[in-house]
Amino acid sequence: MTSERYLRDVQYRDSSNLAARANLHARYSTAPVPWFRWVARQVTWPCAARVLEVGCGPGWLWEQARADLPDDAVVTLTDLSSGMLREALTRVSPYFRALHGAAVDAGRLPFVDESFDVVLANHMLYHVPDPARAVRELARVLRRSGTLVAATNGPAHMREVDEITADVFGEPEQRKYSDRFGAHNGAAMLDAHFEWVEWRSYHDDLVCTDPDDVLAYVLSYPPGDRADDAAREQLRAAIVARFGASGAMRITRESGAFVCRAA
Ligand SMILES: C[S@@+](CC[C@H](N)C(=O)[O-])C[C@H]1O[C@@H](n2cnc3c(N)ncnc32)[C@H](O)[C@@H]1O
């Protein structure tokens, strides 16, 4: 599994790799409600909610789901990567005046117990070396009856893309990210700290019409990010072959969120 240094200084140094992946979802999603708006709608927002987002990335949630988020929220954005955090604070500051930020590891949160009404940890617990410890931290900083939303993926997520990568590079040595904290195994870690845990699926598949968007996705993370010219050619040919006569490639999306209530 990738190291903390790789995540902080290479993969998530800024939003460029994540943007290549988000672009595929944004352009080719078939879901009726865009992802971040769906996430925001999973919470019943209290007045002047004190909200912590852990692993906030470039802060896209706060811009893209603005219509579904309370204006009066007091927002604390955190990420392991200071580059990501900077970008998030710049993006979110026009919309939320009560805004704070800190570059911190989800496994060691510098906040006192029960200091937030809502905690968000989206598509990030699978990166943390010890997700059970991070879950314990999320529960610690959440007030009684507060809400945690922890989005992740299931094992079938983007399986057609995994098949292409395996064709070109061989079967991966690493486990899939979702094996560490995914739709199928995350509840076991959450049950230990929350009174109520529910998995909610986001129903979506991608119908892609441009092979180069799929190629950009594959090149944004290992092993694709190390591809030389020959491997890139092979990848592109393998992707084009998947498009077939229809001129489109369907990609499975298996995403959703655990919505949890603190005891
Ligand atoms: C896939 S991105 C998700 C970003 C954002 N939550 C979203 O949904 O768009 C994962 C983010 O988690 C951050 N991250 C990875 N490991 C972390 C850790 N141990 N503590 C805090 N953030 C971490 C990365 O820097 C990256 O910004």
Side-chain angles (χ1 to χ4, degrees):
M1 201 58 76
T2 42
S3 72
E4 181 176 305
R5 182 178 295 182
Y6 167 80
L7 292 171
R8 188 188 56 219
D9 299 340
V10 181
Q11 175 59 224
Y12 295 120
R13 182 164 51 100
D14 58 33
S15 64
S16 51
N17 289 313
L18 190 57
R21 300 196 287 280
N23 176 53
L24 202 71
H25 293 290
R27 286 195 71 179
Y28 301 118
S29 166
T30 54
V33 179
W35 166 251
F36 286 114
R37 298 197 64 177
W38 181 88
V39 170
R41 291 179 190 180
Q42 304 313 307
V43 179
T44 304
W45 295 95
C47 290
R50 298 163 301 164
V51 188
L52 171 67
E53 185 172 14
V54 174
C56 63
W60 288 330
L61 167 79
W62 301 91
E63 185 176 61
Q64 295 183 29
R66 203 152 61 87
D68 299 282
L69 293 164
D71 295 341
D72 62 355
V74 179
V75 179
T76 301
L77 300 180
T78 65
D79 200 283
L80 186 64
S81 153
S82 50
M84 280 292 201
L85 180 69
R86 240 188 335 268
E87 199 173 323
L89 291 172
T90 303
R91 174 168 286 106
V92 178
S93 58
Y95 309 124
F96 292 87
R97 272 178 297 151
L99 180 63
H100 312 276
V104 297
D105 184 337
R108 291 183 295 275
L109 294 176
F111 306 112
V112 298
D113 296 0
E114 299 194 33
S115 44
F116 296 98
D117 302 301
V118 177
V119 174
L120 308 170
N122 294 326
H123 286 121
M124 62 79 56
L125 281 169
Y126 49 54
H127 284 315
V128 176
D130 183 352
R133 173 183 168 151
V135 165
R136 194 167 66 231
E137 279 291 88
L138 303 179
R140 181 183 66 74
V141 301
L142 193 58
R143 72 153 162 81
R144 283 168 184 272
S145 305
T147 304
L148 167 70
V149 175
T152 188
N153 303 320
H157 187 65
M158 308 298 286
R159 71 171 161 230
E160 296 80 0
V161 171
D162 291 345
E163 286 163 13
I164 289 168
T165 309
D167 283 351
V168 173
F169 294 103
E171 287 298 328
E173 286 164 23
Q174 294 184 351
R175 293 180 300 151
K176 274 180 82 95
Y177 281 137
S178 59
D179 288 346
R180 191 182 276 188
F181 180 90
H184 56 306
N185 60 11
M189 275 173 243
L190 295 162
D191 280 340
H193 299 282
F194 292 89
E195 181 180 59
W196 176 86
V197 174
E198 182 177 278
W199 171 254
R200 299 182 187 168
S201 289
Y202 177 70
H203 300 287
D204 191 16
D205 273 331
L206 309 181
V207 180
C208 306
T209 53
D210 185 343
D212 285 322
D213 287 330
V214 181
L215 180 63
Y217 184 103
V218 174
L219 296 179
S220 75
Y221 63 100
D225 61 350
R226 295 190 293 273
D228 58 15
D229 288 348
R232 280 174 185 240
E233 282 302 310
Q234 266 183 289
L235 276 170
R236 194 169 191 290
I239 292 166
V240 168
R242 291 281 181 137
F243 274 65
S246 69
M249 176 181 173
R250 194 170 194 98
I251 300 179
T252 305
R253 181 166 185 184
E254 190 181 16
S255 287
F258 290 102
V259 180
C260 315
R261 189 169 316 117

